[in-house]
Amino acid sequence: MSDDLLDFFDDEPDAGQSTCGEMPVWLILVVDDEPDVHASTKLALQGLTVCGRPLQLLHAHSAGEARQYLSGPDPIAVILLDVVMESEQTGLDMVREIREHFGRKDTRIVLRTGQPGYAPELEVIQRYDINDYKNKNELNRTRLFTTITTAVRTFQQIQALDKSRQGLEMVLQASRQLINRQGYRTFAEGVITQLAALLNAPEEGVVCCHRADEYGDSFPRIVAAAGALADFVGKSLDNVEPAQIRRLVERAMRRQCTVVEENHAAFFFRSPIGQEMVVYLEHAEHREDEILQALLKVFSTSIVTCFDNVAHLERLREIAYQDALLQVPNRQAFLAHLDEQLLAARSGRVLLADIDQFAAINDMLGTERGDQLLKVVTRRLRHKLPERCYLARVAGDTFGLFDPGGMLSPEDIAALFAEPFDLNGQKFALSITTGWVGLDGQANAAEVLAQANMAMKHAKLQARGAALCYQPDFADALQRRVELAQALREAVESRSLMLAYQPKVDLQTGRCVGLEALARWQLNGQFISPAEFIPITEATGLIGALGDWVLEQALVDISGLNSSRQSPLQVAVNVSMAQLEDEAFVDKVHATLAKAVVPATWLELEVTESMAAMDAGRLQALLTRIAELGISVAVDDFGTGFSSLGQLERMHLTTLKIDKCFVDKLALEPPDGRMCSVILQMAGELNLKVVAEGIEYENQASWLRQAGCQVGQGFFFARPMLLDELAQWLEKQA
Ligand code: C2E
Ligand code: MG
Ligand code: MG
């Protein structure tokens, strides 16, 4: 700190000196039981000054009166103490009391006695730090004055030494305290506290530093504040009111030195690595005090070293806790933040938002542009999320959010993704899947994050863009999924799955016209439903291998069945979205047909309406190639998805399969056939065949027959059967 610009005012009294009116004086306590001695002492010292200040006498005529003065707060410079009073020892006893009981270590003591025989031992003089021992009759005016002057000077020196020792202790303590401070804010708060203590000022002020914002622009910001100014923390200096505070801080920054004005001061500090800091203190009054100036210098030197220390630690923190690409807190920081909340027993909501299909987008764009897109997403989140929310990047394309208010909902986040993102003019529509959980006394942040993650994983399994709140049974469900996935991989690799075939029958004639191949898997003697294991194969990438096997097996089986039939049956094979997305899919089907030596017309592929999510051009090209090979395509579970009439018209399709949920309504009393009618009418217009699924009762079959539906499938006709059983069933039919 540069002190050459410190201009001091108001020469306030030091601690350790008393005042008479406005004038500082030295207090001299005269303790003597002889009134004459008081009178003569008064006379002898009248009108005298020591070191520029007058003396003020306090008179005590007994030990009791003396104690009254001694127990008060006034600094007494010298005590003229009579040795023999009530007893021969009273004076000497009093000495011990002054030092030990009243703790007045600096006060000088001059013992006086009438008779030389009462002189104290040398050992006592040393032990109790007695300044002088005088015979009363020795103390004429000159002698007394010399004695008093010497004693007052010694008192003054001791006080000065004391003060600088105390000050140094304070500075030392300050640097001990500040060296451990983490973060600019706590450090700067500490500086206010320590500096205020050193200056004997109230803790009321601000600390201003140049700090960079999220875009790297640096500007003066309030990093800490205390007292009535506390609200300015985090704000730019421009926002600080009243203006005189701002002006004083600006002046100190501009001039790079400490500026003191009446009733407030701005202290300028610069660290060895060039960091600058201005500490503004209200009511920081100064004296032209050498000790204080020296202390401020020492303070400044030790503080700037701590300041650099903070900077280094912050940098380390940044590296450890900041995501280098997106400039937001990373997973570590998120965990630390949550741990803090848990420790303080706070509530709030934790959300994990994962961008859907980001890996594919990244592959398409290349890593560099993928990174840029993430930055665009981050910027929107940061600007649109409520200020109270904590945003972090916890994994590649997963953001962690904490809302202490607990109000932020998955819908709020989804709304931020409603508009496409703009990357150099190119628009990207992104969706997110969210898992969330409330802070609720979990053991630690890792547990919280694991729960949110589990919820997110479950949501992913449901659909893109889904959101789920954590439920305790997720853990078990996830555990089962992991086990199933493992067993399923082994089953697919060892081809120990089976195929069941469910007949499709002509509703007019009752004759079997086709079969649907349905995968069957037995684990530990129990059949697991395809509704459970197919999604696992889709999520784990096993669907490709499973699909290949189903197609191969179904073609082998149909080839065998048809070899002994006059009119060949068509076999339908279910195909997942993930299979359709494979570029080599059509070639694979073609090769499998060739290998099994089966005509393409014997095969039908059942796809779901979710294929409509595929790029329309690509889907059309794909269906065209399939049609060109002569393979039929049925839309499975029709009516539950979102394909539009226009879209259906353009695609090469053969069949619509009315979903079971609409067929179920035909069993009601009276039957509700509105949806079935619509689909039948639509299929008629598009020249498509219709298969009604899940027929369980005669009345459903007859309703459909009358409505003109050609083909039906369901337990009413036959359940899915393994090959042997199917062969028997077909024989019986014939
Ligand atoms: P899906 O393709 O709609 O198959 C029809 C489902 O309805 C079959 O269930 C069948 O057993 C059942 N079902 C047929 N008639 C009735 C009935 O009258 N009442 C009732 N309650 N159910 C009936 P499953 O075999 O459990 O298969 C469920 C789903 O798993 C299939 O629905 C299909 O989407 C999928 N899936 C099965 N096998 C495969 C496969 O090899 N590949 C693919 N990608 N998906 C498959
Ligand atoms: Mg099907
Ligand atoms: Mg179906």
Side-chain angles (χ1 to χ4, degrees):
M1 185 177 65
S2 62
D3 48 357
D4 44 13
L5 253 157
L6 277 171
D7 48 89
F8 294 104
F9 44 86
D10 231 24
D11 200 352
E12 263 233 330
D14 273 303
Q17 82 192 21
S18 199
T19 51
C20 171
E22 278 307 291
M23 186 72 162
V25 298
W26 299 118
L27 292 179
I28 313 292
L29 174 62
V30 184
V31 188
D32 208 304
D33 55 357
E34 289 173 47
D36 289 358
V37 177
H38 284 279
S40 63
T41 307
K42 197 171 168 182
L43 201 70
L45 297 176
Q46 206 160 39
L48 294 177
T49 60
V50 179
C51 304
R53 287 180 212 161
L55 307 174
Q56 188 188 335
L57 298 190
L58 307 169
H59 297 279
H61 296 86
S62 64
E65 277 180 40
R67 282 187 198 105
Q68 277 181 11
Y69 284 117
L70 290 166
S71 59
D74 292 332
I76 296 168
V78 183
I79 301 175
L80 292 171
L81 182 59
D82 190 13
V83 176
V84 183
M85 287 187 286
E86 286 91 333
S87 81
E88 290 175 357
Q89 278 291 318
T90 308
L92 289 178
D93 291 345
M94 188 99 239
V95 172
R96 181 160 13 96
E97 220 178 322
I98 293 166
R99 296 293 187 228
E100 287 174 4
H101 179 73
F102 294 104
R104 291 181 181 261
K105 300 253 182 319
D106 300 348
T107 301
R108 298 298 84 210
I109 300 173
V110 177
L111 285 176
R112 297 201 290 186
T113 175
Q115 300 98 335
Y118 292 100
E121 304 284 331
L122 254 178
E123 191 260 337
V124 175
I125 293 188
Q126 267 173 3
R127 172 136 56 100
Y128 292 113
D129 188 17
I130 294 167
N131 255 56
D132 219 342
Y133 170 76
K134 290 278 178 293
N135 203 308
K136 280 184 194 173
N137 49 32
E138 274 182 74
L139 290 178
N140 58 33
R141 185 176 158 96
T142 325
R143 285 257 177 98
L144 184 60
F145 180 60
T146 318
T147 305
I148 292 285
T149 307
T150 318
V152 166
R153 282 219 176 105
T154 317
F155 173 74
Q156 192 183 25
Q157 276 163 11
I158 292 174
Q159 289 257 298
L161 275 172
D162 239 29
K163 219 175 77 184
S164 80
R165 182 180 48 75
Q166 277 170 11
L168 272 172
E169 255 171 27
M170 243 160 122
V171 171
L172 225 93
Q173 191 200 340
S175 42
R176 261 202 305 272
Q177 293 250 321
L178 293 171
I179 200 94
N180 292 323
R181 292 269 176 152
Q182 283 185 11
Y184 283 98
R185 180 163 175 185
T186 37
F187 167 74
E189 278 166 357
V191 173
I192 295 179
T193 307
Q194 306 295 346
L195 194 56
L198 195 64
L199 297 171
N200 204 14
E203 270 181 50
E204 187 121 343
V206 297
V207 177
C208 182
C209 290
H210 267 87
R211 308 287 307 136
D213 67 5
E214 56 195 76
Y215 303 110
D217 296 331
S218 180
F219 59 91
R221 240 196 293 181
I222 304 303
V223 292
L229 305 171
D231 287 346
F232 292 119
V233 171
K235 304 231 164 90
S236 138
L237 177 60
D238 297 343
N239 299 325
V240 174
E241 300 280 351
Q244 71 227 40
I245 299 180
R246 195 169 62 235
R247 278 200 293 273
L248 200 71
V249 174
E250 277 167 354
R251 189 131 49 94
M253 287 208 145
R254 203 170 46 246
R255 291 201 202 157
Q256 310 236 306
C257 67
T258 291
V259 188
V260 179
E261 272 185 0
E262 193 159 349
N263 220 27
H264 61 181
F267 298 85
F268 178 81
F269 299 91
R270 187 199 280 113
S271 79
I273 62 166
Q275 300 194 94
E276 293 173 358
M277 165 171 79
V278 170
V279 182
Y280 169 86
L281 280 187
E282 205 98 314
H283 310 296
E285 301 179 358
H286 297 278
R287 293 150 273 131
E288 190 141 15
D289 176 332
E290 273 176 34
I291 294 173
L292 184 63
Q293 285 203 46
L295 283 175
L296 279 172
K297 241 183 188 157
V298 180
F299 180 82
S300 167
T301 321
S302 87
I303 253 47
V304 293
T305 314
C306 299
F307 191 26
D308 277 349
N309 202 36
V310 171
H312 292 312
L313 281 173
E314 279 294 287
R315 183 75 195 110
L316 281 178
R317 265 184 84 82
E318 226 172 80
I319 295 167
Y321 288 113
Q322 181 101 342
D323 183 83
L325 175 71
L326 304 181
Q327 295 297 309
V328 291
N330 62 12
R331 183 190 192 85
Q332 264 341 88
F334 194 57
L335 284 167
H337 186 75
L338 294 182
D339 267 329
E340 248 170 54
Q341 308 299 317
L342 284 172
L343 206 66
R346 291 199 195 101
S347 56
R349 184 179 284 180
V350 179
L351 305 99
L352 285 189
D354 186 277
I355 304 179
D356 297 322
Q357 304 283 303
F358 194 75
I361 298 169
N362 218 24
D363 287 347
M364 188 178 83
L365 291 178
T367 314
E368 204 173 303
R369 297 192 62 219
D371 283 354
Q372 282 175 344
L373 186 57
L374 273 180
K375 282 188 191 173
V376 174
V377 172
T378 309
R379 198 167 310 144
R380 185 183 294 173
L381 287 177
R382 196 145 55 177
H383 284 108
K384 295 277 170 73
L385 282 168
E387 217 174 297
R388 61 173 193 273
C389 292
Y390 186 92
L391 172 72
R393 182 197 198 187
V394 297
D397 59 349
T398 311
F399 292 96
L401 287 148
F402 174 69
D403 176 13
M407 303 288 286
L408 189 73
S409 70
E411 292 76 35
D412 295 335
I413 307 176
L416 300 181
F417 282 73
E419 291 280 308
F421 293 86
D422 188 309
L423 182 60
N424 309 325
Q426 202 180 344
K427 300 266 191 256
F428 289 90
L430 299 179
S431 70
I432 43 137
T433 299
T434 310
W436 54 280
V437 65
L439 275 197
D440 189 17
Q442 288 94 337
N444 51 40
E447 190 185 341
V448 176
L449 209 59
Q451 292 178 347
N453 196 44
M454 229 177 269
M456 199 257 287
K457 287 263 161 70
H458 271 260
K460 280 256 173 208
L461 294 176
Q462 288 197 338
R464 273 179 213 175
L468 272 186
C469 174
Y470 169 76
Q471 305 291 332
D473 59 4
F474 281 1
D476 294 341
L478 213 65
Q479 176 66 22
R480 177 172 160 84
R481 270 184 65 90
V482 170
E483 284 166 12
L484 284 187
Q486 182 55 34
L488 197 54
R489 182 171 297 277
E490 285 162 23
V492 170
E493 278 165 8
S494 65
R495 304 195 147 204
S496 58
L497 293 158
M498 291 171 285
L499 279 184
Y501 293 95
Q502 186 176 32
K504 298 178 190 174
V505 301
D506 184 315
L507 288 173
Q508 297 295 335
T509 63
R511 286 171 54 93
C512 178
V513 291
L515 303 167
E516 177 175 5
L518 295 158
R520 290 291 174 265
W521 179 37
Q522 218 176 356
L523 180 66
N524 306 326
Q526 273 210 313
F527 279 104
I528 314 266
S529 160
E532 183 171 16
F533 75 79
I534 292 293
I536 299 178
T537 63
E538 286 170 342
T540 53
L542 267 178
I543 188 68
L546 177 102
D548 292 349
W549 172 78
V550 170
L551 184 66
E552 252 177 72
Q553 191 60 46
L555 292 182
V556 169
D557 291 347
I558 202 68
S559 166
L561 283 174
N562 283 347
S563 64
S564 58
R565 287 180 66 91
Q566 279 184 330
S567 52
L569 294 171
Q570 194 180 46
V571 70
V573 170
N574 292 285
V575 176
S576 291
M577 215 12 221
Q579 291 173 271
L580 291 179
E581 275 169 347
D582 178 1
E583 300 278 350
F585 177 71
V586 182
D587 292 336
K588 249 193 220 167
V589 175
H590 187 54
T592 315
L593 280 167
K595 194 175 155 207
V597 206
V598 167
T601 49
W602 289 4
L603 177 64
E604 182 169 54
L605 299 178
E606 289 193 11
V607 297
T608 56
E609 278 181 287
S610 59
M611 68 174 175
M614 255 170 93
D615 173 70
R618 224 180 119 203
L619 180 62
Q620 196 165 7
L622 179 77
L623 294 176
T624 307
R625 279 194 64 200
I626 294 173
E628 278 167 3
L629 287 175
I631 302 169
S632 307
V633 175
V635 181
D636 208 350
D637 310 334
F638 187 75
T640 56
F642 41 81
S643 48
S644 70
L645 194 60
Q647 212 175 1
L648 285 176
E649 202 171 7
R650 272 180 270 119
M651 306 293 165
H652 283 94
L653 299 169
T654 340
T655 312
L656 297 184
K657 292 187 79 176
I658 305 178
D659 191 74
K660 181 174 179 295
C661 66
F662 306 122
V663 174
D664 285 347
K665 293 193 168 151
L666 302 177
L668 298 174
E669 198 55 57
D672 173 2
R674 286 173 298 177
M675 198 60 192
C676 290
S677 296
V678 170
I679 296 174
L680 282 164
Q681 200 184 335
M682 194 196 263
E685 271 162 37
L686 295 174
N687 211 9
L688 295 173
K689 282 193 282 182
V690 177
V691 177
E693 286 189 90
I695 301 172
E696 291 179 340
Y697 306 104
E698 157 63 31
N699 62 347
Q700 292 169 310
S702 63
W703 191 98
L704 287 160
R705 196 179 306 122
Q706 275 160 31
C709 178
Q710 301 108 346
V711 183
Q713 180 185 352
F715 294 174
F716 175 64
F717 304 108
R719 289 184 173 255
M721 296 166 278
L722 296 180
L723 194 61
D724 290 346
E725 200 188 335
L726 173 75
Q728 289 171 18
W729 184 86
L730 285 171
E731 220 163 275
K732 239 196 274 169
Q733 283 267 308

